[in-house]
Amino acid sequence: MIKRILLAVSGLGHAEEMLKTLKEIPSIQSAKVTILHVVQAQSTAATMTSKWENGGKILANAIQTLNLDPSEVSSILREGDPKDVVCQVADEIDADLIIMGSRGLKRLQSILSNSVSQYVFQLSSRPMLLVKDDIYVKRIKRIMVAIDNSDSSKNCLKLALFLLRDIQGGELILANISTDLGGKKSEITQVNSDKNPVLAAAVAEAEKQGIQSRSYISSGKPGEEICRLAEELNIDLLLLGSPDRRPSIAKSFVDIDRLIGSSLSDYVRVNATCPVLLARTIA
């Protein structure tokens, strides 16, 4: 399911470390990697030359840090607006996964600061793994999926099983949250999935592939509960389904209403204490 990865690097953050960790997973090891750095246009030729030289160094450092087989990695240094170029290159190489660093800015801050990761998340339909600057990237053993009846959630489950199938001692954590917008929290409870159809279907899929799983339920505001459960269970990677945010006719416009609205995926990407992989519905 993941054969082509686009890693967007800026010289800061944990994106390279995240890819290095992913590459330890057997199902990812053969994936081709494209490393991208974008140079923004500058006012003078001298400044532009300096930016190009620095961009080359950033790419070289990323390749050295990753220590990948040269046959499995390529690099792209391109001029333009990073937000647009990341989306363009992801389409060009038909990326199965985009990995980016994120400052973890809240929605309004993201708009005002012209956040690259927020823009790409908003407009790309491809799975996107966001790695905040302030988290610790761990070896992946416990993968959590926020599970419900949505198609995007089912896509996340398939991705999680793909990643876990060859991880020795790997474990799938399934979380089903009952919405209480009043914010009244319940205890996080480990349950037998038999009486919960959504959980039961997910557990059955895991059992088919010989993957160990645990199921949990809670109630409250979904974003808060997902983040709380991920932190309490010391999750290494969180997968969350996110519906396609824009009709195709409007892909070139940022959805301001969504950006400043109460989106579940926005809340989780900002507040989760582990890397977050956001996935859409399978096309």
Side-chain angles (χ1 to χ4, degrees):
M1 291 180 69
I2 299 178
K3 296 180 180 179
R4 292 169 296 277
I5 298 174
L6 175 61
L7 173 67
V9 297
S10 63
L12 302 170
H14 299 311
E16 295 95 327
E17 190 178 351
M18 185 74 247
L19 177 58
K20 203 170 182 178
T21 299
L22 276 181
K23 274 290 194 172
E24 295 176 358
I25 300 175
S27 56
I28 297 289
Q29 287 174 356
S30 62
K32 303 290 185 181
V33 175
T34 299
I35 305 174
L36 169 69
H37 179 72
V38 184
V39 176
Q40 298 189 65
Q42 302 296 316
S43 57
T44 68
T47 305
M48 196 68 211
T49 299
S50 175
K51 287 290 184 181
W52 276 101
E53 291 175 352
N54 187 57
K57 291 176 183 177
I58 288 172
L59 285 175
N61 289 336
I63 292 170
Q64 184 177 18
T65 298
L66 292 168
N67 193 28
L68 295 174
D69 183 334
S71 67
E72 295 179 356
V73 62
S74 59
S75 61
I76 297 175
L77 183 61
R78 189 171 293 184
E79 180 182 345
D81 186 328
K83 302 187 300 298
D84 295 325
V85 173
V86 172
C87 292
Q88 291 166 4
V89 173
D91 288 341
E92 287 172 14
I93 70 170
D94 195 18
D96 301 308
L97 178 66
I98 302 169
I99 302 177
M100 295 186 68
S102 169
R103 288 171 291 167
L105 299 177
K106 296 186 186 301
R107 288 178 295 277
L108 186 55
Q109 290 176 303
S110 293
I111 298 169
L112 298 176
S113 68
N114 208 20
S115 167
V116 176
S117 61
Q118 173 63 16
Y119 184 98
V120 175
F121 161 62
Q122 177 74 15
L123 294 183
S124 178
S125 60
R126 300 175 186 278
M128 183 173 180
L129 178 49
L130 292 171
V131 191
K132 289 196 300 178
D133 295 343
D134 60 351
I135 67 167
Y136 176 66
V137 176
K138 299 176 291 184
R139 177 171 291 181
I140 295 172
K141 289 284 189 180
R142 291 175 298 278
I143 297 180
M144 175 175 148
V145 177
I147 196 80
D148 56 28
N149 274 320
S150 68
D151 288 337
S152 57
S153 171
K154 293 172 185 176
N155 187 19
C156 283
L157 176 62
K158 290 181 179 179
L159 278 170
L161 295 175
F162 168 78
L163 294 171
L164 283 165
R165 65 187 185 187
D166 295 318
I167 297 179
Q168 190 168 5
E171 187 175 30
L172 174 67
I173 307 297
L174 298 164
N176 184 232
I177 312 299
S178 298
T179 301
D180 184 340
L181 295 180
K184 186 177 179 181
K185 296 181 179 179
S186 70
E187 291 295 321
I188 293 173
T189 307
Q190 184 173 355
V191 296
N192 187 313
S193 64
D194 292 348
K195 295 182 179 180
N196 184 311
V198 174
L199 289 171
V203 169
E205 286 297 318
E207 288 178 347
K208 286 180 186 177
Q209 300 189 36
I211 295 171
Q212 181 180 349
S213 67
R214 284 185 281 154
S215 299
Y216 290 84
I217 59 170
S218 70
S219 65
K221 293 182 178 179
E224 293 180 8
E225 289 302 290
I226 289 169
C227 291
R228 180 165 71 113
L229 202 152
E231 184 170 13
E232 288 192 11
L233 296 179
N234 196 24
I235 296 301
D236 304 320
L237 178 64
L238 168 61
L239 273 67
L240 179 68
S242 177
D244 197 353
R245 314 264 282 208
R246 296 300 307 243
S248 58
I249 195 172
K251 285 292 184 186
S252 60
F253 301 98
V254 175
D255 187 343
I256 298 298
D257 292 336
R258 283 284 194 177
L259 283 171
I260 60 177
S262 55
S263 162
L264 169 62
S265 50
D266 283 330
Y267 182 93
V268 172
R269 73 169 180 85
V270 170
N271 293 284
T273 55
C274 64
V276 178
L277 198 164
L278 298 161
R280 311 293 192 192
T281 302
I282 298 174

